[in-house]
Amino acid sequence: MKKKYTFLLLLVLIEFSYCQCFTSLKAGYNHVLGQKSDGTLWVWGWGNWGQLANSTGFDEYSPLPLSNNSNWQYFSANKFNTFAVKSDGTLWGCGGNLYGSLGVGNNTTQGYFDLMQIGTAINWKYVVSSGSQTIAMKTDNTIWGWGQNDYYQVGNGSCCNDIVNPVLVSNATDWKMIAVSDVSSSFALKNNGTLWCWGQNIAGLLGDNLLSVRTVPTQHNPDTDWKFISVGTSHILALKNNNTLWAWGDGGSGETGDNYPANYNRFVPTQIGTSNNWKTVAAGFRISFGIKTDGTLWAWGLNDVGQLGDGTTTNQLHPIQIGSDTNWDSVSAGYQHVVALKTSGAVFTWGNNDFGQLGNGTNTMNTTPTAITVVGCTLSTEDFTITVKELKISPNPVHNEVNLSYSGTAVINTIVIYDASGRNVYESQPVASTNLSAIFSLSGLESGCYIIALKNNEKIVASRQLIKN
């Protein structure tokens, strides 16, 4: 029995100790960018264009620091490049500069292998890029664009020369969110829930099959209840305020989720199923993912290299649930690979791995979500102090009932127990407080090693390992 506990404890440490320090992840075309809880940015995968800022252009099979700085407030991994905004509002980028897409004043240098500051402005907020065109938002909520502009995709009404420095797209100051496709079109949401678009109208993305381009931001449809969009190569996933999911664009591989096999374009938003409990969605290259409010993960679309994560290589024309776990927090889809975080902070990757984009130290593909270990992702001294001093559980090991007490500075509103695989096996929501005392039964759990975690909303504040006899 002792050996069993040791083995299970090692599994717990893999998920909770070595993976929990990442707080957000974003998949580029074949690379990944993630941020740790200490504010540092880490990258891995394809590096040929300089998008890893490793000075060599070599691929990296395991996470490595993008820089020594820890004051990043936003980042994006894109097709050939990487962008990040510091807490001082400055914008930085590296990687491919095709058509001037880095915004550093030229379109002749094809790639930069170290981070470059873009201009001198100190009020950048948000940036996205297709690898050839880039759209960004400032803290005054104005939109700026640069890069390739042969189909008006920059959005300022000009055509058709490359724009190598940021230019103002719109004087409006009520923009909420921006996104770009890989087929020369751009999109933005306003605070009033309207959706806007411009650029080339490939696959019906711009919502009208009678036009080829839109030269400036134009309202896409009359609806006023859009709250989130994710744009893939040539299809769009969108959430409304009522948490319903909609899609349009190219659906030839099933990525629009409407269960229709024909290879045709969807010109208007079409609801996917009838569910109204979608939490977030992610679109990639002919693939789509969604997480529901119950923490389950769903996927649909192209699956030729197992990128959907269901263990097969069969395309799916409508959303299917991936596994049975109910603690998925976020997901990001790249070209043929996917990265996701669980609420425990564990990092999972799957799909193609030719460039090391799964971050597991190999170039072997995975067809199911698999946790990766990251050296250095261990509990800090501060976290350890919180666990020991503020959270107490007894007895430990426990046979049936366990006593829990907490007295600290953080407000706790959720108690969760995770098993060795990171699955949520128990959850309660006591009255939010900085002082908790509870007794609960574990008679329904199998013998083994678990983690008890106290949360403030979705952030784990304190945790302890618990052995169940």
Side-chain angles (χ1 to χ4, degrees), residues 46-61:
W46 190 34
N48 184 65
W49 291 90
Q51 60 267 51
L52 304 185
N54 60 2
S55 300
T56 64
F58 294 157
D59 300 339
E60 300 288 350
Y61 287 8

Side-chain angles (χ1 to χ4, degrees), residues 20 35 64 102 108 132 145 154 171 178 193 215-216 228 239 303 310 326 427 452:
Q20 68 179 358
Q35 188 167 34
L64 80 162
L102 274 187
T108 55
S132 60
V154 168
N171 288 317
I178 52 177
T215 62
V216 295
F228 182 84
L239 293 179
N303 198 27
D310 65 345
T326 58
E427 181 170 333
I452 292 184

